[in-house]
Amino acid sequence: KWLHGEGIKVIVYAGWGMNMEAPEWKDYGMEMVTLPLKNTGYGTFHQSMPSLWQDWFVFKTAQMIKDYDIDGLFLDSATSVVLTENYTEGMRWVDAKGKLRGSYPLLATREWLKRLYKLWHGELKPDGVIYNHNSPPAIMMIENFADVRCPSEFAQHHEGAFDRKFLDYYVAKNGGEQFGLFIEHTSKDWMGEWARKKTNQLFAICL
C-alpha cells in the first residue's frame, strides 16, 4: 500500500520448482514434480507443467493478488522446458526397441504462461507485469506471453571476433524484440569475470 502510494509497482519473485516447505507438499507434492526427480536446489524439485502444479500455481498467484495487491511476477527459469517422463501426464513412451523415452512439455508450458498472462492482463489486474527470466534461447511460442524477457545472467559461450557469426548467435540467444517482446540484459557484480566479459559484449553490440 505504501509503495503504491509512492507510485511504485510491486513485482514478486517466483522461482522454479515445487518447494518441499509448501504446505501442499505433504499431501500431493510428488504429483506436481517431474520424473525422474530433478533436485533444483533451495529445497525444490522441478515442476511438471502438465500436472496439477499448473492449476496450483495459477490459483496461488490469484490468491496472492487478492491478498497483497501485487502488480506482477518475476519468473525465474520457470519457462525452461525440460525432458520429463511422467506416466500419468502422458509424457512417457516406449520406442520400437523397448527403450523408455520422455517428452518436452512445450504446449503445457505455453498454456501455463498464457493463463498467467490473462490473470495479469484483464482477469484480476488490468496492466500487470510478467517479467520472465530464462537463460536458454527463447521459445517464442511460450515466451510471447510475457511483458519483459531477461535472457541470461552470463556471457555468451562464443569464441572469436564480434562478427556476423557472433551477432547471429547473440540474437538467437538473447533475441525477442523482433517478436515484440521487450528484452532487458543484466550483469551482476558477483559474477566477476563473467560480468566483465558480458559488459564488453553489450557495448560491442550497441556500437
Side-chain angles (χ1 to χ4, degrees):
K1 198 172 187 179
W2 168 69
L3 289 169
H4 286 161
E6 298 295 325
I8 299 172
K9 285 193 173 186
V10 181
I11 299 176
V12 176
Y13 177 92
W16 62 90
M18 181 65 198
N19 196 294
M20 293 185 293
E21 292 185 16
E24 294 81 9
W25 177 263
K26 179 173 65 72
D27 295 321
Y28 47 89
M30 286 295 292
E31 297 176 35
M32 297 197 278
V33 295
T34 57
L35 297 175
L37 284 173
K38 295 179 179 68
N39 188 328
T40 45
Y42 306 100
T44 71
F45 288 97
H46 200 282
Q47 73 278 1
S48 174
M49 282 294 183
S51 73
L52 59 88
W53 181 88
Q54 182 175 149
D55 293 330
W56 173 81
F57 192 101
V58 173
F59 173 79
K60 287 291 186 177
T61 300
Q63 193 175 50
M64 192 157 48
I65 293 171
K66 293 174 181 176
D67 289 348
Y68 298 103
D69 194 27
I70 57 175
D71 302 294
L73 289 181
F74 179 101
L75 299 172
D76 190 343
S77 305
T79 58
S80 183
V81 181
V82 300
L83 192 67
T84 179
E85 297 174 2
N86 292 43
Y87 174 74
T88 53
E89 288 98 286
M91 302 302 290
R92 184 166 66 184
W93 58 285
V94 179
D95 66 16
K97 295 182 178 180
K99 185 174 181 180
L100 186 68
R101 302 282 188 177
S103 303
Y104 291 92
L106 288 165
L107 292 175
T109 307
R110 170 187 165 93
E111 181 64 20
W112 170 73
L113 195 60
K114 185 177 179 180
R115 290 174 69 185
L116 283 179
Y117 190 88
K118 290 170 68 178
L119 202 68
W120 292 103
H121 296 83
E123 288 185 354
L124 290 181
K125 285 278 182 175
D127 56 354
V129 177
I130 292 183
Y131 191 117
N132 190 44
H133 170 40
N134 188 32
S135 292
I139 302 174
M140 280 303 162
M141 63 167 282
I142 296 170
E143 294 198 44
N144 263 343
F145 295 104
D147 300 292
V148 182
R149 181 173 199 265
C150 176
S152 182
E153 296 173 345
F154 302 103
Q156 312 311 300
H157 297 283
H158 178 83
E159 301 301 329
F162 290 112
D163 53 11
R164 182 75 254 172
K165 185 178 178 182
F166 174 81
L167 289 172
D168 288 343
Y169 179 88
Y170 197 95
V171 169
K173 176 74 162 63
N174 299 289
E177 291 183 2
Q178 66 270 39
F179 300 98
L181 180 61
F182 180 78
I183 303 297
E184 182 175 275
H185 294 273
T186 181
S187 294
K188 297 181 180 178
D189 293 339
W190 57 264
M191 291 176 181
E193 193 59 39
W194 281 104
R196 284 187 285 275
K197 183 179 177 185
K198 181 164 185 180
T199 300
N200 293 334
Q201 291 180 355
L202 292 176
F203 287 155
I205 295 296
C206 291
L207 290 172

